Amino acid sequence: MGTWRRLLLCGRASLRGGGGASVPPLGCRAVGCGLQLLGAESEALKQRRTQIMSRGLPKQKPIAGVREVIVVASGKGGVGKSTTAVNLALALAANDSSKAVGLLDVDVYGPSIPKMMNLKGNPELSPDNLMRPLLNYGIACMSMGFLVEETAPVVWRGLMVMSAIEKLLRQVDWGQLDYLVVDMPPGTGDVQLSVSQNIPISGAVIVSTPQDIALMDAHKGAEMFRKVHVPVLGLVQNMSVFQCPNCQHKTHIFGADGARKLAQTLDLDVLGDVPLHLRIRETSDAGQPVVFSHPESEEAKAYLHIASEVVRRLQPPPE
C-alpha cells in the first residue's frame, strides 16, 4: 500500500492522548502538509514558466534561398497528407514553369517522399559541406529517407529527432526556390512546433478526410498553427467521394462535406476536394505522382486547382 494511501486510511480514526484530549487525525495533518508542498511546487513551476517565457520564442531565421515555405499538415496519419504534399509541389511547378519548387520531408519516423518521388541514394555535399537535394520531375527533394536504409526504423528519442530536423532545415543547399513544400509528420508535437518556431512559414495547408475522427484532429492541427502565428491557408478535403468505375455511382465512404463544415467553424476556406481514386494510389506507389503521369485526369486537375488557390492566398492583398 502506498504511503499516501496508508496515511489517508489511518486518518479516518481519531487518536486520543492519555488525557483524553482529541489529537488531530494523522491523515488530515499529512494531507495538509501535502497540499502545502504541492502549493510550493506549483509556485516554483509558475516562476520557472515565467522565466522561460521571458526569454521569448526562438528567433526565426529564413532558409537561405527560399522565398515561400508552405507546410502540409494533418492532425491524423493516413489521410493522404504526403500524397497531397507531393502533388501540390508538382502542381505548383506545372501551373507556372518559371517557378522553382522544392519538397522537404520532415517526417523523420515515416518518410514517404523517396518512394513517391522515385528517388534513392545519399545526397552529395556542396563545397560548403551542405547536402544537395535529389532531383526528379523538376522538384528538388530532401528527406530523412535519403540518409537511412529504406527498411531501417528510426528509433530515436526527442533530442536526436530535433537534431535531425535542424540539419534538414539548415544544412541543405536549396539554391534559389520560389516555393518549398514541407511534408510535416501527423499530429501536433515537437517537430511541428520546432519547424513553426524556427523558420518563417508563409502558410499551412491542413489535409483531412470528411470523417469525424479525422476532422477532430484536423481541428487541433489548425488551432496549433494559429497559436504559433502561422497563417492557415485552408483545408483540403481528401478522399471526398468514390465513383464506381463501372456504374459511375458516387459513394461518400468517409462522409460528405465534413471538411467544409469544419472550415466554416474555423472561418477558413476549402482549397479543394480530391476524390478517392485508384489511380492516385497506384501512381503514388509507383513513384509517378498523378500530376506528373496523368496531368489531364480529373484527379490531377484537383491538385492543380488546389495549387492555384494556395498561390492566390500567398499573394499580398491589393492596396
Side-chain angles (χ1 to χ4, degrees):
M1 185 183 297
T3 303
W4 281 105
R5 184 171 175 81
R6 287 200 302 270
L7 289 172
L8 289 172
L9 287 176
C10 291
R12 291 179 181 175
S14 295
L15 301 179
R16 293 187 178 274
S22 178
V23 179
L26 178 58
C28 293
R29 284 182 289 167
V31 170
C33 292
L35 290 175
Q36 290 178 359
L37 288 172
L38 289 175
E41 289 182 3
S42 177
E43 187 62 32
L45 286 173
K46 286 181 181 178
Q47 293 177 1
R48 178 63 176 161
R49 190 179 298 115
T50 301
Q51 291 174 358
I52 293 173
M53 293 302 293
S54 66
R55 300 174 190 168
L57 295 175
K59 188 175 181 180
Q60 289 184 333
K61 181 182 176 183
I63 299 175
V66 177
R67 188 167 65 88
E68 306 270 15
V69 176
I70 305 163
V71 298
V72 179
S74 65
K76 184 176 290 296
V79 298
K81 169 186 54 62
S82 295
T83 303
T84 301
V86 166
N87 283 288
L88 173 60
L90 289 163
L92 287 168
N95 282 343
D96 189 343
S97 59
S98 69
K99 302 299 184 185
V101 182
L103 182 59
L104 174 60
D105 183 359
V106 295
D107 192 346
V108 173
Y109 293 114
S112 302
I113 300 307
K115 182 171 181 60
M116 289 187 176
M117 291 297 288
N118 195 25
L119 287 168
K120 290 184 179 180
N122 300 119
E124 296 180 354
L125 294 179
S126 71
D128 296 328
N129 209 33
L130 299 176
M131 294 182 290
R132 285 178 170 154
L134 277 63
L135 187 70
N136 200 13
Y137 309 131
I139 307 296
C141 302
M142 180 53 63
S143 170
M144 191 68 199
F146 300 145
L147 307 177
V148 297
E149 294 295 329
E150 183 176 357
T151 58
V154 177
V155 188
W156 288 353
R157 293 187 183 274
L159 289 177
M160 294 183 68
V161 174
M162 291 301 101
S163 176
I165 295 299
E166 180 69 17
K167 287 179 172 59
L168 290 172
L169 291 177
R170 301 296 179 197
Q171 296 184 20
V172 177
D173 181 9
W174 290 105
Q176 297 296 314
L177 292 181
D178 294 286
Y179 304 112
L180 177 62
V181 178
V182 181
D183 181 20
M184 301 280 268
T188 55
D190 288 343
V191 173
Q192 290 84 349
L193 198 59
S194 180
V195 172
S196 301
Q197 292 180 345
N198 281 281
I199 61 172
I201 296 174
S202 303
V205 174
I206 308 296
V207 181
S208 180
T209 64
Q211 186 179 6
D212 288 347
I213 296 297
L215 292 167
M216 289 171 59
D217 292 329
H219 193 157
K220 296 173 186 176
E223 292 293 355
M224 185 215 72
F225 284 114
R226 284 177 166 174
K227 285 188 176 182
V228 293
H229 310 295
V230 172
V232 180
L233 302 177
L235 276 66
V236 171
Q237 183 164 246
N238 198 30
M239 309 182 202
S240 58
V241 65
F242 171 74
Q243 183 171 354
C244 176
N246 297 319
C247 68
Q248 311 306 314
H249 176 72
K250 292 184 178 180
T251 304
H252 294 90
I253 295 175
F254 296 105
D257 291 331
R260 296 187 182 280
K261 296 171 185 175
L262 177 59
Q264 292 176 356
T265 301
L266 296 172
D267 193 24
L268 294 172
D269 295 324
V270 174
L271 301 173
D273 295 77
V274 180
L276 179 62
H277 199 287
L278 180 62
R279 184 183 290 128
I280 297 176
R281 196 275 300 165
E282 289 179 336
T283 55
S284 297
D285 285 350
Q288 298 181 338
V290 70
V291 169
F292 169 79
S293 57
H294 296 81
E296 300 302 321
S297 66
E298 292 301 316
E299 303 80 58
K301 289 177 181 177
Y303 290 115
L304 293 168
H305 171 75
I306 291 168
S308 65
E309 289 296 308
V310 166
V311 171
R312 186 168 68 86
R313 285 162 175 77
L314 291 176
Q315 295 172 346
E319 297 181 357

